[in-house]
Every structure is written in structure tokens, then in C-alpha cells.
Amino acid sequence: PSEAVFFAEGPKEVDEYLRSQDFEVIMLPEGVDPSEEARLLAEHGGLDVMFAEMLDITPQRQTVLRGLAERLVIFDDLCDHIYNADLVVCGQDLPSHANRSLSHPDTRFLVGYDYFLCRPEFLPFVERQREHSESIEHVLVTLGGGGYGVGYLKAAKAIAETEARATFVLGFADHGDLAEQ
């Protein structure tokens, strides 16, 4: 059986959720520098595959991560960075954004909607025909789990100028003050 270890940063809710699913979690200190991160990760050596989300992973940091595991896989939503990974996965259809010529020559790219990460129960809706109306009554706004506070507030201002009702889905990182605003 394979073992998964999560090296996580961020809100305590992430740590709590992963532990509730019986995963081993090593919480990295916020703002840890690359050499300290490498030391912490090396203590858990022998990693077969490391998966990472692209946030703030410079090419130098990717080099460190790639040296700690047999394979480094990066998930990125826009594919607009320089990569030094074995594999970059982007779930959007943005082939012109993949910085292939600037990235390590051995980096493979999987780009397109087939790679969009979603729960299996959403798949039947992928090919569904949609009908659009000039009249908008209800709006759902969800921008992911990153720091999208400004985006949420801009959407709220735009929707406030209409008659539409709105539902905002905020991630763990968007604490009460954003919901209140």
C-alpha cells in the first residue's frame, strides 16, 4: 500500500481536514525559506512523487523539490510560469500560455479541459447544452481557494447594481471580514 504525506501551509482548517481523513500532515511554517523547506522535506526522504500547486513556486524552488522526489508534478491554473518539473498539469485550454520554451526541456505539459480537477459527480454536466437568458435572477460566485478577496468584492459591487440575488462561495482562506464586506 502506498503512503501519502501532505506537506501543507496555510489555514489550520487544511491541517484539520487532512488529519480527519487519516493522512499524515507536516505543517510547514509560514514564509519558510527554500533552504529550511528543503531540510524539512529531506527529513521525510524517499519520496516517489511530489505534487504541488503552483503558488509561489519559483524555478529555483522547483529545482529543490525536484531533487527531493523521483518525480515533481505541478498543478497550475494558468500555465503562465517557468517550470522545472517533470509534469505540469493545467485544466484550462490555454496551450499558448504554457511557457514551454522558457521551461526545463524535460518538463511535459498536460493542458486542456480533460485535466480540470473536479469531483466525478460534476462530469455529466461538462457536455450539457446550456441556455442563456437576458434576464439574470441568481448568480453564483466562486473563485477558488486562493486570495481572491478583491475579485469577490468587485463581483459583489457589480451584482449589487442589478436585481439579481447572489451566492458567494468563499474558501478557507477567506475569513469572516470578507464575507461581512
Side-chain angles (χ1 to χ4, degrees):
S2 64
E3 273 185 52
V5 178
F6 283 85
F7 299 94
E9 297 174 278
K12 66 179 173 33
E13 292 89 351
V14 172
D15 178 33
E16 291 167 358
Y17 175 77
L18 292 171
R19 288 180 196 279
S20 77
Q21 301 301 308
D22 295 324
F23 287 113
E24 181 182 350
V25 180
I26 290 90
M27 288 301 288
L28 297 172
E30 288 295 323
V32 66
D33 68 58
S35 61
E36 177 64 8
E37 179 181 21
R39 188 190 66 70
L40 291 168
L41 295 175
E43 289 177 5
H44 302 278
L47 302 171
D48 296 313
V49 181
M50 182 177 291
F51 295 92
E53 211 285 328
M54 187 57 213
L55 290 177
D56 300 323
I57 300 181
T58 64
Q60 295 80 10
R61 187 172 175 205
Q62 292 174 57
T63 300
V64 169
L65 297 177
R66 198 172 188 188
L68 294 170
E70 291 295 317
R71 299 216 184 286
L72 174 62
V73 178
I74 293 183
F75 293 98
D76 195 4
D77 58 349
L78 292 178
C79 221
D80 61 346
H81 297 279
I82 297 172
Y83 303 96
N84 182 8
D86 294 286
L87 182 63
V88 174
V89 181
C90 177
Q92 296 193 51
D93 197 13
L94 301 169
S96 65
H97 284 58
N99 289 330
R100 289 175 174 91
S101 64
L102 301 174
S103 297
H104 190 282
D106 294 335
T107 299
R108 280 189 40 229
F109 290 86
L110 298 178
V111 178
Y113 298 128
D114 288 341
Y115 303 106
F116 191 83
L117 299 175
C118 70
R119 297 175 59 100
E121 55 267 29
F122 293 136
L123 293 176
F125 297 96
V126 170
E127 300 297 327
R128 187 174 132 192
Q129 290 294 323
R130 290 163 176 79
E131 294 180 17
H132 300 281
S133 168
E134 295 298 319
S135 160
I136 298 174
E137 296 177 16
H138 194 182
V139 177
L140 172 65
V141 179
T142 178
L143 300 177
Y148 297 111
V150 172
Y152 280 116
L153 293 174
K154 285 182 176 181
K157 283 186 171 189
I159 294 167
E161 295 174 7
T162 72
E163 299 292 322
R165 293 181 333 236
T167 300
F168 287 81
V169 178
L170 305 177
F172 286 124
D174 297 310
H175 296 285
D177 59 333
L178 180 58
E180 193 175 300
Q181 290 178 43

